[in-house]
Amino acid sequence: MTKLKYDVIGYWSEVKLDIIREYASVYSRIASAQPSINKHMYIDAFAGAGHHISKTTGDFVKGSPLNALLIQPPFSEFHLIDVDGDKADELTPPPYPGIRRQPVDAGAYRL
């Protein structure tokens, strides 16, 4: 296996991640409170490795899949997809034991 190369993201990508995290948190809270909704899912077709490197600070930044996994109340299901198997592998070890890697078509992986 080759060493994983994390994506370096700029300021606007960090802002986008903050917006997605806030939106997903509110959505999960509202959906969980509705008696007519049995389950609600988080789907990310470009999940990546779960972390990025900030171009501004050089620090690791949580990506959208890790932000989604930490939301309370939690989503009922997560469908995290990435074409890069090494990035998909980055999300499968503990502390995320409920995630399993499952190949799908064209080299993509659903976690």
Side-chain angles (χ1 to χ4, degrees):
M1 179 178 358
T2 62
K3 184 174 177 183
L4 181 63
K5 185 174 189 265
Y6 292 96
D7 296 326
V8 177
I9 62 170
Y11 172 76
W12 290 113
S13 293
E14 291 185 53
V15 169
K16 176 199 73 161
L17 289 169
D18 289 340
I19 291 168
I20 292 170
R21 183 183 63 247
E22 289 301 317
Y23 178 85
S25 178
V26 170
Y27 175 83
S28 185
R29 190 169 49 251
I30 291 169
S32 295
Q34 302 302 313
S36 61
I37 298 176
N38 294 327
K39 63 181 179 177
H40 62 293
M41 297 178 227
Y42 183 86
I43 301 170
D44 187 342
F46 303 95
H51 286 95
H52 307 288
I53 298 174
S54 170
K55 188 184 292 186
T56 306
T57 66
D59 294 333
F60 277 107
V61 175
K62 286 186 189 109
S64 55
L66 292 186
N67 284 329
L69 288 165
L70 296 172
I71 286 175
Q72 294 298 320
F75 285 89
S76 307
E77 291 182 20
F78 296 88
H79 298 273
L80 308 173
I81 304 161
D82 203 281
V83 71
D84 185 332
D86 289 336
K87 288 181 179 178
D89 283 345
E90 193 73 5
L91 289 170
T92 55
Y96 313 105
I99 297 178
R100 65 186 186 286
R101 184 174 185 217
Q102 179 179 355
V104 293
D105 59 1
Y109 294 88
R110 184 177 74 215
L111 307 173

